[in-house]
Amino acid sequence: MNDKDILNEFGVTLMASVRDRSISKLEQAQSGALKGSSGKILCDLFTQFNNEQQKVIKKLIVEFIDNTIFNTLSMFEEEESKKILVHGVDINEISDGLCGELFTEDGWISQFSKYDE
């Protein structure tokens, strides 16, 4: 497995397990699909806003999700004692910059996320 494959495998997992799951939960809260009392509370909060306001709220939340992922990757770049190993390879050593893997037209978000926003 080459370095690009290893980075992409991590990117696929990160997008599916973190970004997409978080955005999916946001959409479930917005639509009322979440079960339980906290799901109902979240849905009730969303219904206080019109459709345009809900779109803005969703955009803001997605931006914060992406920022959290960016900050997490940045932490691994900046702190040498913390490593992400994929197939025994420290992905920080094979990337030009983990944070930069997220964005651009061929970044992890546009390549691997269901929610390319």
Side-chain angles (χ1 to χ4, degrees):
M1 188 173 259
N2 67 35
D3 290 352
K4 181 92 169 138
D5 292 339
I6 291 170
L7 279 172
N8 284 340
E9 182 178 326
F10 178 75
V12 166
T13 302
L14 184 65
M15 292 302 98
S17 297
V18 178
R19 186 176 199 270
D20 290 355
R21 283 176 69 184
S22 297
I23 296 170
S24 176
K25 186 146 187 175
L26 165 64
E27 289 181 341
Q28 290 172 358
Q30 197 171 10
S31 71
L34 290 179
K35 304 298 180 208
S37 59
S38 64
K40 177 155 178 30
I41 290 168
L42 291 173
C43 183
D44 289 346
L45 288 171
F46 270 110
T47 60
Q48 295 176 26
F49 302 97
N50 66 38
N51 286 341
E52 206 53 42
Q53 291 169 324
Q54 286 186 29
K55 286 178 187 175
V56 170
I57 291 167
K58 181 181 178 187
K59 184 162 183 55
L60 288 169
I61 292 171
V62 169
E63 189 68 31
F64 285 112
I65 290 167
D66 290 345
N67 189 57
T68 300
I69 295 169
F70 179 92
N71 289 337
T72 302
L73 292 172
S74 180
M75 176 192 66
F76 284 100
E77 284 181 317
E78 294 169 3
E79 297 190 30
E80 292 181 21
S81 65
K82 297 183 177 29
K83 300 185 183 314
I84 302 172
L85 300 177
V86 178
H87 300 290
V89 176
D90 180 356
I91 64 167
N92 196 37
E93 291 180 7
I94 60 174
S95 172
D96 291 338
L98 289 175
C99 299
E101 301 288 352
L102 288 174
F103 305 109
T104 72
E105 62 192 34
D106 62 344
W108 290 342
I109 291 172
S110 62
Q111 282 190 80
F112 307 129
S113 179
K114 293 189 312 188
Y115 304 94
D116 183 15
E117 299 177 14

